[in-house]
Amino acid sequence: MYLYVYEGYQGGREGRQRTEELVRRAAERYIYEERLNLGTVSGRILRTERGKPYFQEVPIEFSVSHTGSLWVCLMDTGTVGVDVQEIRGCRREKIAERYYTADEREYVQSRGESGFFQIWARKEAYAKYTGDGFTERLRSFSTLKDTSVEFIDFDVCAGIKGSCCMKEKRELWIRQIV
């Protein structure tokens, strides 16, 4: 499983087009690094009814996230989800009370702001993994206790928390793309 990182991302109007270019670049590199015999990634990136992106003709799963100028894309042959969150000021107690389970709120109390954003990245990664988005089910889903999925937490750079969600834990390789 590979996490491709791009620094200097700018969203806005061109954000979706730029994301598709970066996803294709990451996919080409993934195919090369995994020595997969899949050819090139040339087709459009499609989306499910709920917005989960996928390749029509290439059997690679991917998930994308960005925060500030950091963009990441997780690639694997199995279903995956990824999220990155820049640590910033917010009403974390109020958000945690609304969206976190009791054990997650306890985790945030013991770890503070960093713990809050780690759980938030896990929740978002899980939502992308399932393809359901951020639904009511996430309020009762514990990213600390549920064993139906695995998480790998990572820090790409200072002040940013990240998490990957997958069915079974795998080794995570982080690569820069330019």
Side-chain angles (χ1 to χ4, degrees), residues 120-132:
W120 193 261
R122 282 181 166 211
K123 293 265 191 193
E124 290 276 0
Y126 178 76
K128 292 175 182 181
Y129 168 83
T130 64
D132 291 336

Side-chain angles (χ1 to χ4, degrees), residues 19 28 31 38 47 49 52 57 68 70 79 82-83 85-86 88 91 96 100 107-110 131 134-135 150 163 167:
T19 289
E28 293 289 343
I31 289 167
L38 299 175
R47 295 184 177 275
E49 284 182 23
K52 185 175 175 90
E57 76 285 350
L70 181 72
T79 305
V82 70
D83 191 58
Q85 293 289 323
E86 184 175 13
R88 61 196 181 283
R91 299 162 68 189
Y100 290 14
Y107 181 89
V108 169
Q109 282 184 328
S110 69
F134 213 90
T135 63
E150 296 284 340
S163 189
K167 181 70 178 161

Side-chain angles (χ1 to χ4, degrees), residues 19-27 45 55 62 64 71 75:
T19 289
E20 288 197 10
E21 291 169 14
L22 290 168
V23 167
R24 279 191 188 79
R25 194 179 310 166
I45 295 172
F55 292 118
F62 68 94
V64 173
W71 179 95
M75 296 258 169

Side-chain angles (χ1 to χ4, degrees), residues 9 15-20 23 44-56 62-66 71 128 131:
Y9 179 79
R16 180 171 266 188
Q17 181 180 354
R18 183 70 176 139
T19 289
E20 288 197 10
V23 167
R44 287 183 329 153
I45 295 172
L46 304 175
R47 295 184 177 275
T48 65
E49 284 182 23
R50 293 195 171 250
K52 185 175 175 90
Y54 66 95
F55 292 118
Q56 185 172 16
F62 68 94
S63 180
V64 173
S65 183
H66 64 86
W71 179 95
K128 292 175 182 181

Side-chain angles (χ1 to χ4, degrees), residues 86-155:
E86 184 175 13
I87 296 175
R88 61 196 181 283
C90 69
R91 299 162 68 189
R92 69 176 188 255
E93 292 83 14
K94 194 168 194 138
I95 294 169
E97 188 63 40
R98 184 170 180 189
Y99 293 105
Y100 290 14
T101 60
D103 60 306
E104 290 170 332
R105 288 192 301 273
E106 187 176 304
Y107 181 89
V108 169
Q109 282 184 328
S110 69
R111 290 177 175 78
E113 193 171 52
S114 177
F116 171 83
F117 283 101
Q118 193 64 70
I119 297 295
W120 193 261
R122 282 181 166 211
K123 293 265 191 193
E124 290 276 0
Y126 178 76
K128 292 175 182 181
Y129 168 83
T130 64
D132 291 336
F134 213 90
T135 63
E136 285 296 314
R137 183 179 183 286
L138 282 181
R139 291 181 182 196
S140 61
F141 174 80
S142 172
T143 62
L144 299 172
K145 290 186 176 178
D146 189 283
T147 59
S148 66
V149 294
E150 296 284 340
F151 292 96
I152 297 175
D153 300 325
F154 60 89
D155 296 325

